[in-house]
Amino acid sequence: MSVGLNPDHPCGRCAYYSESVWSSVKLGSVSALQRGFSRIALSEGQALFSQGDRNRGIFCVSEGLVALRTLHAEGTSTLIRLAYPGEVVGFRSFLSAREHRTEARALLPSRICLVGRRDADHLVQGDTDVLMKLASRCVSEIDQNHDRIIAAATKSNKQRLSDLLLRLMKVHGTRAEGQIRMRLPLSRLDLADLIGVQPETVSRLINRLRKDGAFFFSGRHVSAPLAMLVELQNAAE
Amino acid sequence: MSVGLNPDHPCGRCAYYSESVWSSVKLGSVSALQRGFSRIALSEGQALFSQGDRNRGIFCVSEGLVALRTLHAEGTSTLIRLAYPGEVVGFRSFLSAREHRTEARALLPSRICLVGRRDADHLVQGDTDVLMKLASRCVSEIDQNHDRIIAAATKSNKQRLSDLLLRLMKVHGTRAEGQIRMRLPLSRLDLADLIGVQPETVSRLINRLRKDGAFFFSGRHVSAPLAMLVELQNAAE
DNA sequence: GGGTGTCATTGACGATCGTCAAATTGGCGT
DNA sequence: ACGCCAATTTGACGATCGTCAATGACACCC
């Protein structure tokens, strides 16, 4: 399989082509892929699909950031996953042929590629490689869930918030004047969901991190001193 | 596909045959399935595989109960999953062709069926149905992880312990004299892992549940009054 | 029977968290 | 600039949790 540009393939110009679920679609089936292919532009806050929606196919984030949430009866919600460019969304309801159990919403202006359900079904049925790559995405989602469960059982809330901020810094941060800065793509409530506490607690954790000299907050703008860079490397995991 | 007994199939006599990953293996490939097939008997506390082991294939619990744990550097561990009869174990390292990230250990005397990696690979490559069923197992594991993450963010520790005990009662409990009784297959430390608290806290939660009149403990023997049966129905979820 | 180890419980303490209510801020439209 | 709504922060309080240390219970072995 050739890594890099491939003008005949819908994903051929995508930066994440080589790891794409569709990268191994054989030449003979590329037409089916093209038939089911469409691109979706989302503005910040716009929904890609809602909980209870019928599955429309397999989505792949091309640009931006998408949040997967589940809504509860009481009106609350829980942020389950952040999907960055190159990540696949909607494979759960696709594989189990049922309605979406989460809502997907853009946290930043985003571009999404969709392969419609009918054609995606044919491609998956006809090519073990494609299905195998989908399964690998499932496995890495399980891995991430396990990490989250382990972190919840192992680390303090403050540590988990710090880890989360470091990971976000790594993706969204820019370096300047001996500091890293970013605009948080998440609200305090989303932060609270991700580490499993109430939003008031997030405020207090932020105060403690500020006192520790680890992070400085001003609304959604966060900065960290260079000393944090060291831990930033370790936060790879 | 015929539901029920199938004498030509290694899983043909299994109570979970119809939902088995291997139930759709075509007649022509049954010989490969038989070649890779073996049965493993585990006594209580015995390990099926250890963290870091090379994957030996796809395991399916036929009888008993298996716990999947990840061991941490500090010597602690976290109980990630309980695998009951009919459930598949080891598919994560199988699908990603890497070593096990968890340890599997029998909590009760257990019987496990194994399809060796080489033959399982051929069967999975040659049959989309088999791979699709494996993927479905992945999806339901993701579902369970999500439920656990949501429960951790939504419910109190006491409620989570109560829910867990109810679920265990449903499987392991026997009814007698207006009560449900069971022998807990889990240590207090395992209970603590599953709800994400320290073992001392489990002791205190147990005291509170006792005071509430919800559960009565005597070592590993637990009983609950009939009133709990109502919630037992709801705990299906 | 006594020893020994693991598992489980209890007590005491400080730290942290959830909750409710009130105050403050920030963003955004007019 | 103003007003307004939602998001965020703060304060106060009780409840809960983690930690450390000590005790108790139990099985197992010699």
Side-chain angles (χ1 to χ4, degrees):
Chain A
M1 153 194 4
S2 73
V3 173
L5 298 182
N6 181 346
D8 297 329
H9 193 290
C11 312
R13 281 184 194 79
C14 182
Y16 309 93
Y17 171 62
S18 59
E19 299 120 39
S20 161
V21 167
W22 309 112
S23 66
S24 61
V25 166
K26 291 164 192 66
L27 280 177
S29 302
V30 167
S31 62
L33 182 57
Q34 271 163 339
R35 185 170 54 238
F37 203 90
S38 58
R39 290 168 221 273
I40 301 168
L42 295 176
S43 53
E44 191 168 323
Q46 202 176 352
L48 180 59
F49 53 78
S50 300
Q51 196 166 326
D53 278 5
R54 191 173 119 292
N55 177 282
R56 276 185 286 153
I58 294 178
F59 301 89
C60 186
V61 179
S62 158
E63 204 181 298
L65 177 58
V66 172
L68 297 180
R69 284 191 184 82
T70 80
L71 284 58
H72 311 127
E74 319 88 58
T76 60
S77 67
T78 302
L79 214 176
I80 295 287
R81 178 159 88 100
L82 297 178
Y84 280 96
E87 292 192 44
V88 177
V89 172
F91 59 82
R92 208 157 47 114
S93 63
F94 174 82
L95 283 173
S96 56
R98 65 185 182 199
E99 54 191 24
H100 287 290
R101 295 206 171 175
T102 54
E103 143 192 308
R105 196 172 287 276
L107 290 176
L108 299 171
S110 303
R111 285 193 307 122
I112 318 284
C113 298
L114 165 64
V115 178
R117 196 159 49 92
R118 183 174 306 273
D119 291 299
D121 258 331
H122 287 151
L123 290 166
V124 164
Q125 286 298 329
D127 190 337
T128 314
D129 282 354
V130 173
L131 184 49
M132 192 60 107
K133 284 185 175 157
L134 259 191
S136 294
R137 302 300 180 120
C138 289
V139 169
S140 64
E141 168 129 8
I142 293 173
D143 288 345
Q144 283 174 39
N145 288 337
H146 284 190
D147 289 345
R148 186 162 167 184
I149 290 171
I150 290 171
T154 297
K155 298 178 177 175
S156 71
N157 290 335
K158 188 172 104 174
Q159 185 66 54
R160 288 215 304 287
L161 177 57
S162 177
D163 289 352
L164 172 59
L165 290 170
L166 247 27
R167 255 177 292 143
L168 292 171
M169 277 290 190
K170 200 168 178 176
V171 181
H172 302 281
T174 59
R175 296 171 199 202
E177 306 166 18
Q179 288 207 333
I180 330 170
R181 304 190 98 266
M182 70 169 168
R183 181 186 171 274
L184 255 186
L186 301 170
S187 69
R188 304 297 148 117
L189 208 143
D190 288 339
L191 289 177
D193 276 349
L194 279 175
I195 61 173
V197 298
Q198 298 302 117
E200 293 96 330
T201 299
V202 170
S203 276
R204 288 172 185 127
L205 291 175
I206 286 175
N207 278 337
R208 289 205 274 151
L209 288 175
R210 193 197 332 260
K211 285 198 187 93
D212 292 352
F215 295 95
F216 299 90
F217 284 78
S218 166
R220 284 209 174 194
H221 290 278
V222 193
S223 60
L226 270 181
M228 281 281 130
L229 272 173
V230 185
E231 303 186 39
L232 225 162
Q233 308 299 334
N234 306 343
E237 185 234 354
Chain B
M1 152 196 1
S2 72
V3 173
L5 298 181
N6 181 345
D8 297 330
H9 194 290
C11 311
R13 283 183 194 80
C14 182
Y16 309 93
Y17 172 61
S18 61
E19 301 120 38
S20 160
V21 167
W22 309 112
S23 66
S24 62
V25 167
K26 291 167 192 64
L27 280 176
S29 303
V30 167
S31 61
L33 182 58
Q34 270 163 340
R35 186 170 52 238
F37 203 88
S38 57
R39 291 170 221 273
I40 301 169
L42 294 176
S43 52
E44 191 169 324
Q46 204 176 350
L48 180 59
F49 53 77
S50 299
Q51 195 166 326
D53 279 2
R54 192 173 118 290
N55 177 281
R56 277 185 287 153
I58 295 178
F59 301 89
C60 185
V61 180
S62 158
E63 202 181 300
L65 178 58
V66 171
L68 297 179
R69 285 192 183 79
T70 81
L71 283 59
H72 312 127
E74 319 89 57
T76 59
S77 67
T78 303
L79 214 176
I80 295 287
R81 177 159 89 101
L82 296 179
Y84 280 97
E87 294 193 44
V88 176
V89 172
F91 58 82
R92 207 158 47 113
S93 63
F94 174 83
L95 284 172
S96 56
R98 66 185 180 198
E99 54 191 26
H100 287 289
R101 296 206 170 176
T102 54
E103 143 193 307
R105 197 172 288 274
L107 291 176
L108 299 172
S110 302
R111 285 194 308 122
I112 317 286
C113 298
L114 166 64
V115 178
R117 194 160 51 92
R118 184 175 304 274
D119 291 299
D121 258 332
H122 288 150
L123 291 167
V124 163
Q125 287 299 329
D127 190 338
T128 315
D129 283 353
V130 173
L131 184 48
M132 192 60 106
K133 284 186 176 158
L134 259 191
S136 295
R137 302 299 180 120
C138 289
V139 169
S140 64
E141 168 129 7
I142 293 173
D143 289 345
Q144 284 174 37
N145 288 163
H146 285 190
D147 289 344
R148 185 161 167 182
I149 289 171
I150 290 170
T154 297
K155 297 178 179 175
S156 71
N157 290 337
K158 188 172 102 170
Q159 185 67 54
R160 287 214 306 286
L161 177 57
S162 177
D163 289 352
L164 172 59
L165 290 171
L166 247 27
R167 257 178 289 143
L168 291 171
M169 277 288 190
K170 202 169 176 172
V171 182
H172 302 281
T174 59
R175 294 171 200 199
E177 306 166 18
Q179 289 205 332
I180 330 172
R181 306 188 99 266
M182 72 170 166
R183 180 186 173 274
L184 257 184
L186 301 170
S187 69
R188 303 297 148 115
L189 208 144
D190 288 339
L191 289 177
D193 276 348
L194 280 175
I195 62 174
V197 299
Q198 298 303 115
E200 293 95 329
T201 300
V202 170
S203 276
R204 286 168 188 130
L205 291 175
I206 286 177
N207 279 336
R208 289 206 273 150
L209 288 174
R210 195 197 331 262
K211 286 199 186 90
D212 292 352
F215 295 96
F216 299 90
F217 285 78
S218 165
R220 283 208 172 192
H221 290 278
V222 194
S223 60
L226 270 181
M228 282 280 130
L229 272 174
V230 185
E231 302 187 40
L232 224 164
Q233 309 299 335
N234 305 345
E237 185 238 352

